[in-house]
Amino acid sequence: VVDPDYPLTGRTTLWFETNTNETCFQLDFIDQSTYIFNRSTPFDFETEELHRIVFFAEDLDPLEPLRSNRTLFIRIHDENDH
C-alpha cells in the first residue's frame, strides 16, 4: 500500500471485508506499506465455492482522507477428495 502524495511518508491503513462469515482470513501488518494476507484453514468447495474479498486502503490525512478499494475473487474448484 503506497500513498506518494501524502507528506508523512505515505502513511496508510488497510482492511478487508469478505462475502462470508468466515474468520479464517487475516491481514498482518508488517510496516507502513506492507501487509501479509493469510488464510489459516484449507479451502473447501462444498463450504464456499467463491470468495470475494474487498481490500480498502485509506491514507491518514486528518483533514481529508482518501480511500481506494480493490476486489479479489478466489474461485475454488471441486476435486474428488478420495
Side-chain angles (χ1 to χ4, degrees):
V1 179
V2 294
D3 181 21
D5 67 340
Y6 191 65
L8 296 175
T9 62
R11 293 177 52 197
T12 60
T13 186
L14 180 71
W15 70 95
F16 68 94
E17 296 175 1
T18 69
N19 63 324
T20 67
N21 290 330
E22 293 186 43
T23 59
C24 53
F25 292 107
Q26 67 185 52
L27 192 61
D28 296 317
F29 175 78
I30 302 300
D31 62 30
Q32 289 182 353
S33 63
T34 308
Y35 295 81
I36 293 177
F37 184 65
N38 194 13
R39 181 175 169 92
S40 58
T41 61
F43 290 107
D44 183 6
F45 177 84
E46 282 76 20
T47 304
E48 192 70 42
E49 178 182 344
L50 178 68
H51 296 269
R52 182 179 58 81
I53 302 140
V54 182
F55 292 92
F56 297 92
E58 185 174 82
D59 67 17
L60 300 180
D61 185 336
L63 300 177
E64 190 176 333
L66 299 175
R67 181 183 289 184
S68 179
N69 66 65
R70 295 291 181 266
T71 304
L72 171 66
F73 292 96
I74 302 173
R75 182 173 304 279
I76 309 304
H77 294 281
D78 189 17
E79 292 186 13
N80 188 346
D81 296 335
H82 304 288

